[in-house]
Amino acid sequence: NAGVTQTPKFQVLKTGQSMTLQCAQDMNHEYMSWYRQDPGMGLRLIHYSVGAGITDQGEVPNGYNVSRSTTEDFPLRLLSAAPSQTSVYFCASSYETGELFFGEGSRLTVL
Amino acid sequence: AQSVTQPDIHITVSEGASLELRCNYSYGATPYLFWYVQSPGQGLQLLLKYFSGDTLVQGIKGFEAEFKRSQSSFNLRKPSVHWSDAAEYFCAVGASDDYKLSFGAGTTVTVRA
């Protein structure tokens, strides 16, 4: 019963490097999303997808890219990492009622 | 646009005492409301949700919340806290026709013996 799986759990990058955070869910949920969590700011939506082949921007999309080629996978790409992207990233999926199922998070540090 | 305010950043409560966490939302129509809990180093887990109907909703771990439309509030309560309730709690608001949720900044709960 895996639910939402995120990898890696920890990552350190240098400014300007690129990387991809992986997210996979096995619940056949159409909706998937990426949030970032920063102290005192709660969770802010980066990008989301309502189904394979469909993505859209959330509240803080700049510097991030996503794609959704399958129902199961929703990777988040950082094209050129900046220190401001140091954060904890959460992937979540949902069926139609809006109740989110979260992964355990990926802690990213950009030096 | 929808938004959530959690007025209390940090609450300290004694084990066995009652707990109430405040949540105020801003939304033009009938909201979908949620409380999530995050233990240190973990993801978020749903405690309870309100979609419609009875304004007092029961959740897991002995938590309940009351929806008050007149006050735009959805406060979380627990009659007697346990040390394991120490965590960060997030209130969130959504809509019936939208998957996206907006989260509050969170309230950290510390439980003292």
Side-chain angles (χ1 to χ4, degrees):
Chain A
N1 190 13
V4 178
T5 303
Q6 292 182 233
T7 57
K9 287 185 167 36
F10 301 94
Q11 183 72 49
V12 178
L13 292 177
K14 295 181 180 178
T15 297
Q17 288 185 316
S18 63
M19 77 157 298
T20 299
L21 298 177
Q22 302 290 346
C23 176
Q25 54 94 5
D26 60 0
M27 297 173 282
N28 201 33
H29 288 167
E30 289 296 324
Y31 177 78
M32 296 185 73
S33 55
W34 277 101
Y35 287 85
R36 60 177 288 172
Q37 182 180 26
D38 302 291
M41 304 189 73
L43 281 79
R44 292 180 292 169
L45 182 63
I46 304 172
H47 284 286
Y48 64 98
S49 169
V50 298
I54 306 170
T55 64
D56 206 345
Q57 296 181 352
E59 180 184 357
V60 288
N62 292 341
Y64 306 95
N65 198 3
V66 293
S67 60
R68 185 92 179 271
S69 56
T70 67
T71 299
E72 294 77 21
D73 300 299
F74 191 46
L76 178 72
R77 296 182 185 85
L78 282 71
L79 305 176
S80 177
S84 61
Q85 293 178 303
T86 293
S87 187
V88 181
Y89 292 85
F90 287 97
C91 180
S93 70
S94 176
Y95 54 102
E96 50 192 36
T97 60
E99 175 184 340
L100 296 178
F101 293 80
F102 285 87
E104 293 188 345
S106 298
R107 184 175 295 274
L108 175 66
T109 301
V110 183
L111 303 176
Chain B
Q2 57 207 37
S3 65
V4 176
T5 301
Q6 293 181 246
D8 303 305
I9 297 173
H10 189 199
I11 287 179
T12 299
V13 61
S14 298
E15 192 169 15
S18 63
L19 174 67
E20 182 168 14
L21 304 182
R22 295 183 290 165
C23 172
N24 294 100
Y25 68 90
S26 173
Y27 186 64
T30 300
Y32 281 12
L33 293 161
F34 305 82
W35 275 100
Y36 286 85
V37 60
Q38 183 183 31
S39 299
Q42 300 295 315
L44 280 74
Q45 180 185 19
L46 180 70
L47 281 176
L48 49 77
K49 60 189 177 186
Y50 171 80
F51 291 165
S52 65
D54 192 348
T55 56
L56 185 64
V57 294
Q58 303 296 322
I60 62 171
K61 304 185 180 186
F63 285 92
E64 66 178 25
E66 186 172 13
F67 170 59
K68 292 186 177 180
R69 184 187 301 276
S70 62
Q71 298 177 19
S72 297
S73 69
F74 189 57
N75 294 349
L76 181 72
R77 299 192 291 256
K78 185 169 184 177
S80 177
V81 299
H82 186 262
W83 64 266
S84 59
D85 293 323
E88 190 162 17
Y89 293 80
F90 293 93
C91 182
V93 63
S96 60
D97 58 350
D98 193 345
Y99 295 107
K100 302 191 295 295
L101 296 187
S102 294
F103 286 82
T107 298
T108 299
V109 173
T110 298
V111 180
R112 59 186 176 211

